Amino acid sequence: MTHLRTEKNETGRKGLVFSIQRYSIHDGPGIRTTVFFKGCPLRCKWCSNPESLNPYPEIMVREAKCNGCGKCLEICSREAIVLNNDSVHVDRSKCNLCMKCVDVCLPSAIEITGRYMNVEEVVDECSKDELFYRNSGGGVTLSGGEPLYQPEFALNLLRTCKEKGLSTAIDTSGYISWKVLDKVLHCTDLVLYDIKHIDSEMHYRGTGIKNDLILKNLKQVVDIKLARVWIRIPIIPNFNDSEQYIEKLAAFISEMPVEKISLLGYHEWGKPKYEFLGRDYPLNGSASLSQERLQSLSDIMQSKGLEVTVGY
Ligand code: SF4
Ligand code: SF4
């Protein structure tokens, strides 16, 4: 495996993936395989996949797995690793991501996240469950991170899946040029389009970017009618979970011919991964959203005639 973060991918035949999840049932209809791309232009404070953010391979350190053997210390030429009471610490300001420590760590206390894969490798993996897709109406979903942050790789993957007769979906923030999105829509059956907030200033506060391009693209995606559209909305306490906002959001979505809406309640399941990556958790202290609360917000949307599902 090549570990270098500088690996070039000019042709789009190779891309950076951090996970491929088989038998996925929440990323579109039927049984699916979800391919998680690494790299995202947004920085949502509630992100539960922090390993998806940076567009290069990284190390994740699980201190509890360390047996104190010291092999990583010996091999690290940057003196970036310290052992305290058989517990490993990496000074990431010294680390150059050479990944040598990953190779010598037998209990996998230090692991790599992010792997460069060929289009063919990914499609071969996805094709293993072709029969399940056919029987369940499922297929392949590209997610992330932001799958369209690696546009050529995503396009090649989608086109190859279509050539093989596999149904395709993308889960996108919509923060991408229309030129790319237009090409993608020609080889995508379903778009899972995320709406974080319809107010641009609030969107900026939650994600670090404004939403103008995202909402403009959404309108074009539904108008062009090349793919089915489902809307996904993360519901975050004190950000977009008030009844008044949900009413406004429902009115906004009602004007568009989208098939359905998924409300995804905030949870803290991704919190340990921030620690493994040596980062602070951005929403420390926020409580998860209860099932009852989520259901009551869903009821508001349903009362406006929208088809809504809830989940986490
Ligand atoms: S990845 Fe970082 S910590 Fe590990 S050996 Fe290389 S420089 Fe050292
Ligand atoms: S190689 Fe792995 S198990 Fe050994 S000290 Fe380093 S992190 Fe711990």
Side-chain angles (χ1 to χ4, degrees), residues 59 72 75-81 90-91 94-102 110:
I59 53 170
C72 55
I75 205 152
C76 180
S77 59
R78 310 274 297 194
E79 297 183 348
I81 303 179
V90 175
D91 181 344
K94 292 182 181 171
C95 171
N96 64 359
L97 296 173
C98 73
M99 305 298 173
K100 286 180 184 162
C101 55
V102 175
I110 307 183

Side-chain angles (χ1 to χ4, degrees), residues 189-209:
D189 299 305
L190 171 70
V191 181
L192 307 172
Y193 205 103
D194 303 346
I195 299 180
K196 275 59 165 176
H197 210 292
I198 56 172
D199 178 87
S200 201
E201 191 50 44
M202 285 300 288
H203 196 280
Y204 180 80
R205 277 191 225 169
T207 71
I209 61 147

Side-chain angles (χ1 to χ4, degrees), residues 233-251:
I233 303 161
I235 299 292
I236 315 299
N238 303 317
F239 176 68
N240 60 2
D241 67 331
S242 73
E243 283 85 0
Q244 296 90 321
Y245 173 71
I246 294 294
E247 296 254 2
K248 220 168 131 186
L249 182 61

Side-chain angles (χ1 to χ4, degrees), residues 65-73 83 88 101 104-107 109-110:
K65 282 189 172 183
C66 173
N67 64 14
C69 72
K71 286 183 184 154
C72 55
L73 263 80
L83 265 183
V88 66
C101 55
V104 298
C105 182
L106 294 181
I110 307 183

Side-chain angles (χ1 to χ4, degrees), residues 168-170 184-192 221-230 257-259:
T168 55
I170 55 160
V184 163
L185 291 173
H186 283 84
C187 42
T188 300
D189 299 305
L190 171 70
V191 181
L192 307 172
V221 167
V222 292
D223 283 352
I224 204 167
K225 294 188 174 71
L226 285 168
R228 299 158 63 191
V229 180
W230 294 5
V258 301
E259 278 184 23

